[in-house]
Every structure is written in structure tokens, then in C-alpha cells.
């Protein structure tokens, strides 16, 4: 343990996003929505460095990333890890 009071969900998100960003950077093929995936991964990384992110924003970014790289099978494991990390934050609360 590092002695940090950091939320373990945020740590998991940051780790998964970092891994997928590296995998995407190393992926040799260009595809039409690569820039969208890169931008949204950068947004997720920024959110993970500033405390607990807003769940609706996390889910929006995840949908954009999945749409952008969902058909690139070499990135499917990394995408799954990011999805799992986003799921740790649960459902957004709805007003009653």
C-alpha cells in the first residue's frame, strides 16, 4: 500500500486507460475514428487525475471509444478493461 487515500476505482480506471492508450499508440493500422478514441482516452485520463469522475461523462466517453475502436480486435481486451473500470463506478443516480 502506498499510504494514499486514493479511490481504488480511480486507480483501476487510470491503469486501464493508460494500458489502452499504449496499445492504441502501438497499433500499426490506421482507422477512421482513431482520433476520436485517442481524444476520449485522453479525456478519461484527465478525469482520473482529478478525483472521482462523473459517471455520465465516463459512460459517454466509453461509448465513444467503443464506437471508435470496437471493431479492432487487437484492442478488444484493453477496451474491455476500460469498460470494467467504468462499471466500478456504478449507475448514475437519478432524481426522483
Amino acid at each position: 500500500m502506498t499510504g494514499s487515500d486514493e479511490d481504488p476505482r480511480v486507480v483501476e480506471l487510470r491503469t486501464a486507460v493508460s494500458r489502452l492508450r499504449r496499445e492504441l499508440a502501438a497499433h500499426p493500422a490506421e482507422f477512421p475514428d482513431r482520433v476520436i478514441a485517442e481524444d476520449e482516452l485522453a479525456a478519461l485520463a484527465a478525469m482520473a487525475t482529478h478525483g472521482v469522475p462523473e459517471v455520465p461523462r465516463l459512460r459517454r466517453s466509453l461509448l465513444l471509444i467503443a464506437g471508435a475502436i470496437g471493431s479492432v480486435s487487437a484492442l478488444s481486451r484493453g477496451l474491455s478493461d476500460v469498460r470494467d473500470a467504468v462499471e466500478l463506478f456504478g449507475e448514475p443516480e437519478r432524481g426522483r
Side-chain angles (χ1 to χ4, degrees), residues 6-37:
E6 193 168 27
D7 187 325
R9 300 172 303 169
V10 174
V11 173
E12 184 68 25
L13 177 63
R14 190 170 40 243
T15 300
V17 167
S18 178
R19 187 178 310 121
L20 183 55
R21 287 179 87 182
R22 284 191 311 270
E23 290 172 6
L24 181 58
H27 190 68
E30 287 298 319
F31 48 93
D33 295 330
R34 184 180 190 124
V35 171
I36 293 170

Side-chain angles (χ1 to χ4, degrees), residues 21-88:
R21 287 179 87 182
R22 284 191 311 270
E23 290 172 6
L24 181 58
H27 190 68
E30 287 298 319
F31 48 93
D33 295 330
R34 184 180 190 124
V35 171
I36 293 170
E38 291 168 343
D39 288 348
E40 288 303 317
L41 284 166
L44 282 177
M47 283 187 264
T49 61
H50 295 95
V52 177
E54 296 178 18
V55 175
R57 179 67 176 106
L58 285 175
R59 293 189 178 282
R60 179 183 176 277
S61 288
L62 178 61
L63 286 173
L64 288 169
I65 294 164
I69 66 173
S71 64
V72 182
S73 62
L75 301 173
S76 64
R77 179 64 189 162
L79 178 58
S80 178
D81 291 346
V82 171
R83 184 188 70 239
D84 292 346
V86 168
E87 293 296 323
L88 293 174

